[in-house]
Amino acid sequence: MTAVSDLPRFDAAEYLEDPEARAAYLAAALEEGDPAEIRRALSTVARAIGMTTLADKAGLGRESLYKALGDTGNPEFATVLKLLHAMGLRLSVVAATEE
């Protein structure tokens, strides 16, 4: 029997290789609507791209990016928009449907 500690650690960032996968991942987090989950998803996509590369493209300091996307981070909306642009993504809005 395999111990849990012997299993490989799953990291979603390893599977977010293209903009379409990144967009779908972030869209799922946005659909859930939990700010902490959205921040975690942004962090995962940032790691998939590379924090230093993304910070440079977004015009942010690397430490600022780590702080904004860290466990206690709370990125400003302007920062989120800069990150999405640097990720090659954009934010759009659709009408919510009643279930």
Side-chain angles (χ1 to χ4, degrees):
M1 178 157 213
T2 303
V4 172
S5 61
D6 293 335
L7 295 174
R9 185 178 163 272
F10 175 79
D11 185 0
E14 295 175 10
Y15 299 92
L16 301 174
E17 298 175 347
D18 57 64
E20 290 77 18
R22 296 172 187 150
Y25 187 76
L26 285 171
L30 286 164
E31 193 168 319
E32 291 296 320
D34 176 15
E37 187 58 36
I38 294 166
R39 182 197 37 76
R40 278 190 292 275
L42 283 167
S43 179
T44 301
V45 172
R47 286 187 301 103
I49 293 170
M51 295 296 260
T52 301
T53 300
L54 186 62
D56 289 344
K57 284 184 178 180
L60 302 168
R62 192 174 56 86
E63 273 81 31
S64 297
L65 183 57
Y66 275 108
K67 183 177 178 183
L69 300 180
D71 289 339
T72 59
N74 188 17
E76 292 185 10
F77 190 64
T79 301
V80 171
L81 292 177
K82 285 180 185 179
L83 289 174
L84 290 173
H85 179 74
M87 291 172 175
L89 304 172
R90 66 175 175 220
L91 189 62
S92 63
V93 178
V94 297
T97 57
E98 296 291 323
E99 291 185 21

